[in-house]
Amino acid sequence: MSANLVDRYVFTALRRVPEQQRADIDRELRASIEDAVDARVEAGEEREAAVETTLLELGDPDRLADSYADRPNYLIGPELYPVWRRSLMMLLTVVLPIVVIVVAVVQVLAEDAGFGEVIGSAIGTIINVGAHMAFWVTLGFWIIERTGAGKDDINRPWTPKDLPRYEPGALTRVQFAANLVWPAVLILALVLQQFTFTEVPLLDPANWNFWWPVLIGLIVLKGLWVFWVYRLGTWTRQVAVVNAIHGVVIGGVILYLLAADKFFNPAFPGFNGVEVDLEGWISVAVMITTGLSIAYEIFDVARKAEQARKGLGVKVPGTGNTYTAS
Amino acid sequence: MTTDATLASHLQELRRGTVVVASLTVLRTPGYGYSLLETLSESGFEVEANTLYPLLRRLESQGLLTSSWNTDEARPRKFYTTTAQGNAIADALRTEWARLDEAITDLSTTPVKE
């Protein structure tokens, strides 16, 4: 019975020890256990009880095996943990929302999905894509942790330059990226809706002669403007003025097209066969949203420029602190 | 955390590493796992078997110990001996230990500056 217990213990520990060390550890571990048991028996213990206490002191065989194999008993160590956390936070707070928005836009355009459907699939996307992000990032870091490959590349030493910039107006790298992704998504959606989302394109194909290329050009200009602001590192009056002009122009184009019934494709099947003038109502809704969001954007940039000019501080999110550049 | 638990965790922190010095020192005369465990606990080093046995193999793979199987007796045992390199390292560690001891003593006897 007691020999049995030792066998079970040793075999369990050896399962997780590298092959080439097994025979040696087997012999040594048995000898050590028997030495300890003998010492206990000599001190007057029952043999069976002595075996049990000895094994109890050696503890969990899996843990012992980890120790023999010199394996870390953690998933991601303290060296990589901050990088892992930062990467995952970036994915979940920046990339995930973008994916959710893109999926929602595609659904509305392609499948003519209703409000409930869009919300439902947004929740599904958050859970599904979020789980994938968490899993693959963690797996990647785990592999780096175990193999050490590329560890120095992603874990480069921190310098004060890495501190986030709180200067009024300066775009952080993440904001910059998000601001570039948005125009790209818009252009992509505009082009793709012509070909793939629906059999009959949602937007008026006649505009490809002139208005859609103009709109794409204007969106590209917005991207260049973002790049300009990022390089400049601060909001200035010029930035605000250019933004306002751009907003008025792009807003004017969209509003004109909507008002003149040239925006949506009149042949789009979703609009027909309904009693109400669906196209007209949607046009009004899009006009209001476009107008409001462009007006807000112009105001927001102007406010930031004004703040930067006066040297007012900015609120650092989540801390209640106000940072003032001096 | 209670005071006891705090003390225990600090003590553990302080003792970490002493087992290496002690083992390298004791094994200047060859010894096997269980005998070393006994010697260490008699000399007042609190060390668990499941820490010591893997540690011995690690020190061997670092070249600080060598080992050989002794099959003369009924029970074959793996004997470990400190190598020249192991001795040198143990010397360096002991010197550091002495330096730290001296430094701590200095700190605790120097009157507090106004």
Side-chain angles (χ1 to χ4, degrees), chain B residues 19-70:
Chain B
V19 176
V20 173
V21 196
S23 300
L24 290 176
T25 308
V26 172
L27 290 175
R28 283 181 293 194
T29 47
Y32 55 94
Y34 186 73
S35 73
L36 179 63
L37 193 68
E38 290 277 86
T39 315
L40 289 182
S41 71
E42 277 163 23
S43 333
F45 288 92
E46 288 177 36
V47 55
E48 306 271 348
N50 55 18
T51 315
L52 185 67
Y53 298 154
L55 174 71
L56 290 176
R57 301 186 73 93
R58 213 169 308 142
L59 293 176
E60 187 189 1
S61 73
Q62 290 172 349
L64 309 185
L65 293 175
T66 54
S67 70
S68 61
W69 280 93
N70 182 332

Side-chain angles (χ1 to χ4, degrees), chain A residues 118-256:
Chain A
V118 171
I119 295 290
S121 83
I123 293 171
T125 311
I126 290 171
I127 294 172
N128 200 353
V129 176
H132 266 286
M133 283 173 171
F135 174 76
W136 292 107
V137 168
T138 309
L139 182 70
F141 272 89
W142 177 76
I143 291 172
I144 293 168
E145 177 70 62
R146 289 308 125 100
T147 61
K151 205 168 180 170
D152 297 333
D153 290 331
I154 60 166
N155 195 22
R156 63 190 173 81
W158 181 90
T159 70
K161 274 188 195 150
D162 297 331
L163 282 174
R165 297 198 282 180
Y166 296 119
E167 279 81 12
L171 285 175
T172 65
R173 236 177 301 165
V174 172
Q175 283 172 324
F176 172 59
N179 273 306
L180 277 189
V181 167
W182 190 227
V185 167
L186 275 182
I187 294 176
L188 204 66
L190 186 58
V191 173
L192 286 184
Q193 62 84 29
Q194 173 72 25
F195 303 110
T196 54
F197 295 155
T198 43
E199 249 165 72
V200 181
L202 174 69
L203 304 182
D204 199 343
N207 287 336
W208 282 111
N209 298 330
F210 183 69
W211 286 115
W212 296 147
V214 166
L215 206 56
I216 289 176
L218 285 170
I219 297 171
V220 169
L221 280 180
K222 181 74 182 190
L224 291 176
W225 174 85
V226 170
F227 188 68
W228 179 42
V229 177
Y230 179 69
R231 285 295 297 272
L232 220 54
T234 175
W235 302 98
T236 61
R237 204 159 255 189
Q238 282 141 304
V239 163
V241 168
V242 170
N243 181 59
I245 295 173
H246 180 272
V248 168
V249 171
I250 200 167
V253 169
I254 294 174
L255 292 187
Y256 159 72

Side-chain angles (χ1 to χ4, degrees), chain B residues 9-25:
Chain B
S9 91
H10 282 301
L11 279 178
Q12 196 190 7
E13 206 58 23
L14 200 57
R15 283 173 189 153
R16 191 168 292 167
T18 54
V19 176
V20 173
V21 196
S23 300
L24 290 176
T25 308

Side-chain angles (χ1 to χ4, degrees), chain B residues 57-107:
Chain B
R57 301 186 73 93
R58 213 169 308 142
L59 293 176
E60 187 189 1
S61 73
Q62 290 172 349
L64 309 185
L65 293 175
T66 54
S67 70
S68 61
W69 280 93
N70 182 332
T71 46
D72 294 346
E73 288 176 56
R75 182 172 298 158
R77 287 190 178 111
K78 195 178 185 182
F79 276 76
Y80 292 93
T81 317
T82 308
T83 61
Q85 197 197 344
N87 255 322
I89 291 221
D91 265 341
L93 292 175
R94 274 193 302 267
T95 312
E96 177 65 10
W97 181 263
R99 192 187 69 75
L100 286 174
D101 181 48
E102 207 174 304
I104 298 253
T105 315
D106 279 356
L107 275 186

Side-chain angles (χ1 to χ4, degrees), chain A residues 85-97:
Chain A
R85 194 185 48 199
R86 237 175 290 155
S87 311
L88 193 58
M89 285 308 278
M90 208 277 281
L91 281 175
L92 292 181
T93 56
V94 177
V95 181
L96 186 57

